[in-house]
Structures are given as C-alpha cells and as structure tokens.
C-alpha cells in the first residue's frame, strides 16, 4: 500500500513539473520582433525600450529614443501614402499606436488593425510603432524615404 502511494505521489509530482515546464516554455521572455511589409518590401524594425512580464519575472529594458535609433538605420524608399502591414514574429495582434519623430514625437499616423498609413509628404520619416500586449509593451523604429 505504501509502495503504491509512493508511486502515485511520484507520478503526480512528475506530471506537475512537466505542466509547469511547458507553461514556462510557452511564455515569451521578451516582446516579439516586428516587420513592416509595404507591397513587396519588408523592413526589419528595431526594437527599442520595453516592459515585459513572464511568469513571475518583470523586465524593463531602456533604449535610445527613436530618432537616435534611426541614426543607425537606412531609410527604405516607399511611395507616398502607402499602407504598411505591421507583423510580429509570434503572429500576435497587439494594440498599436504609430508616431512620427524628429527629436521628439512630432505627429501620429493612422493605424487600423495592424495596417499603418504612411506619410504622404516626401522626405525621410522616422516612425515609431508602440505595441501593447497583456504581457507588456514595446517601442519599434523604422525609417522610410517617401518619394
């Protein structure tokens, strides 16, 4: 009887450890990466500052401002007023806001269900996408040259 109780207890502990391990493995330790698709063009956005929670861990990562991140990026040539699809590597669809930057936020861009309307004004534009999930939030930067 004691032997059966021991086996049952051991089996229960193993099942619980597997369940906890699977749960933790499925949780992301940081926000996903982001891509911007404009027609046939794909832009890899640079992730900036973020706050993220997984399990009982809370992570806050500080980064340079979008205009500073953009200084190390090449602008991608796009047509004026195009629509851009915002895609995340985990296929999530967080709440999204989009901003134009100079040395500070200088305006907002229209976003509708992960579709962003790019500026119609010609020139170089620094764009920040700010995404919010249940697990946290993150800032992403990319640069376009509207022609």
């Amino acid at each position: 009887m004691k032997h059966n109780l021991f086996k049952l207890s051991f089996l229960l502990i193993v099942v619980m450890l597997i369940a906890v391990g699977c749960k933790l493995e499925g949780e992301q330790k940081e926000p996903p990466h982001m891509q911007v698709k404009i027609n046939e063009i794909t832009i890899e956005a640079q992730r900036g500052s973020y706050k993220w929670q997984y399990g009982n861990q809370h992570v806050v990562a500080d980064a340079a401002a979008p205009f500073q991140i953009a200084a190390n990026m090449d602008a991608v040539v796009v047509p004026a007023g195009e629509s851009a699809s915002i895609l995340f590597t985990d296929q999530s669809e967080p709440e999204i806001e989009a901003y134009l930057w100079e040395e500070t936020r200088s305006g907002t861009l229209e976003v509708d269900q992960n579709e962003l309307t790019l500026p119609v004004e010609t020139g170089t534009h620094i764009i920040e996408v700010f995404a919010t999930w249940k697990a946290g939030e993150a800032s992403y930067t990319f640069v376009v040259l509207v022609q």
Side-chain angles (χ1 to χ4, degrees):
M1 179 87 169
K2 279 187 174 182
H3 192 276
N4 286 339
L5 185 59
F6 175 75
K7 282 183 180 179
L8 183 60
S9 297
F10 181 75
L11 182 61
L12 183 59
I13 290 170
V14 168
V15 168
M16 287 174 51
L17 288 174
I18 290 172
V20 169
C22 289
K23 183 179 186 307
L24 291 177
E25 187 174 309
E27 292 185 42
Q28 293 178 309
K29 295 183 179 183
E30 61 185 19
H33 293 280
M34 187 186 96
Q35 291 182 329
V36 181
K37 285 206 168 235
I38 306 162
N39 297 325
E40 300 300 317
I41 302 167
T42 300
I43 302 170
E44 296 292 330
Q46 290 289 97
R47 187 174 57 213
S49 298
Y50 66 88
K51 296 177 187 174
W52 201 253
Q53 178 180 341
Y54 63 96
N56 61 357
Q57 301 293 314
H58 297 269
V59 178
V60 177
D62 194 18
F67 79 94
Q68 294 166 317
I69 293 171
N72 298 317
M73 299 177 77
D74 293 325
V76 176
V77 178
V78 297
E82 276 295 321
S83 179
S85 297
I86 305 299
L87 306 169
F88 293 92
T89 53
D90 66 352
Q91 283 75 47
S92 62
E93 293 187 6
E95 291 182 32
I96 294 176
E97 298 170 355
Y99 304 96
L100 291 170
W101 270 78
E102 290 174 15
E103 287 192 15
T104 60
R105 285 182 177 167
S106 59
T108 59
L109 293 172
E110 184 179 327
V111 179
D112 184 24
Q113 296 184 359
N114 286 22
E115 291 290 320
L116 166 68
T117 303
L118 296 173
V120 293
E121 299 83 13
T122 59
T124 301
H125 298 279
I126 300 167
I127 299 173
E128 175 193 24
V129 172
F130 190 80
T132 305
W133 296 263
K134 285 184 179 180
E137 57 192 32
S139 171
Y140 300 85
T141 300
F142 65 100
V143 184
V144 293
L145 173 57
V146 176
Q147 291 188 336

